[in-house]
Amino acid sequence: MKKRKGWAKMDEERISQRILYVTVALSAVVFLAFYLVGFDVPYAADPSFKAPLLTDVLLGFTGLLFGLALLVSIVAVVRGVRRANRREGMTNGIPARKIACITYGATLLILVLTFVFGSAQSMNVNGQMFSDAFWLRMSDMFVNSSLLLLVLAAGAVVFGATRYYRKERRK
């Protein structure tokens, strides 16, 4: 059997680990540079505010990561839907299609509910009143959805970690 070279011989886990490590390292470098290089520079128009030198770099990096995450998410959803249509929905005895539909539906429901119940109360932002109800609700939606999804993810991890205890109790 012939050995494959380069990326072809690496499995998905190693590729994702390397991407994670590179992303974390780049994030650490960008954030450290942001806080350590010219962070205390006063804003020219109002010296009571700070205007860090590397704000544009940080915003660009954040935008790039957001764009890549959005692209990967769209590709994953499309690929998952295509694969699910080819199978009966079961993978190794696990109802994968059902779990995927529940996950997508629950995430969409959380986004819609946090938008609907989000606050549209005006805010004072950098000395100016901000009163656009749509964007106030949208920002509230992202903050509250993120917090709720983080709590749900932590709950899922705890539930998964207790798997062995639950199996022993059933016996």
Side-chain angles (χ1 to χ4, degrees):
M1 185 185 325
K2 202 174 192 180
K3 285 189 176 182
R4 295 183 286 181
K5 293 183 180 181
W7 286 94
K9 85 174 191 181
M10 280 195 270
D11 60 350
E12 293 87 5
E13 184 178 355
R14 280 194 180 154
I15 293 171
S16 66
Q17 280 179 342
R18 289 192 179 174
I19 290 172
L20 173 68
Y21 295 151
V22 168
T23 304
V24 169
L26 283 174
S27 298
V29 167
V30 169
F31 277 97
L32 282 172
F34 176 75
Y35 285 114
L36 297 176
V37 178
F39 183 74
D40 293 331
V41 175
Y43 182 54
D46 185 358
S48 64
F49 291 116
K50 290 187 169 110
L53 290 176
L54 299 178
T55 302
D56 292 337
V57 172
L58 181 65
L59 290 174
F61 180 70
T62 305
L64 177 70
L65 285 181
F66 177 74
L68 286 172
L70 188 64
L71 178 68
V72 168
S73 297
I74 291 168
V75 168
V77 168
V78 169
R79 188 172 178 223
V81 168
R82 284 186 180 168
R83 280 187 170 181
N85 289 335
R86 284 189 237 147
R87 293 186 253 136
E88 68 276 357
M90 296 291 279
T91 304
N92 297 327
I94 298 170
R97 182 184 298 163
K98 185 176 181 181
I99 291 172
C101 289
I102 289 171
T103 303
Y104 295 146
T107 303
L108 183 63
L109 180 67
I110 287 170
L111 289 171
V112 168
L113 289 176
T114 54
F115 179 80
V116 169
F117 293 114
S119 174
Q121 185 177 0
S122 297
M123 301 177 67
N124 190 359
V125 179
N126 289 336
Q128 296 179 354
M129 285 306 288
F130 188 75
S131 60
D132 187 343
F134 174 77
W135 289 112
L136 286 165
R137 286 182 188 267
M138 186 67 82
S139 61
D140 216 27
M141 174 191 75
F142 283 120
V143 169
N144 291 330
S145 295
S146 298
L147 292 173
L148 184 57
L149 289 171
L150 281 170
V151 168
L152 290 173
V157 168
V158 169
F159 181 76
T162 63
R163 177 179 76 196
Y164 299 111
Y165 300 117
R166 290 191 315 268
K167 281 184 179 180
E168 287 177 8
R169 199 179 307 161
R170 280 189 227 153
K171 290 182 181 180

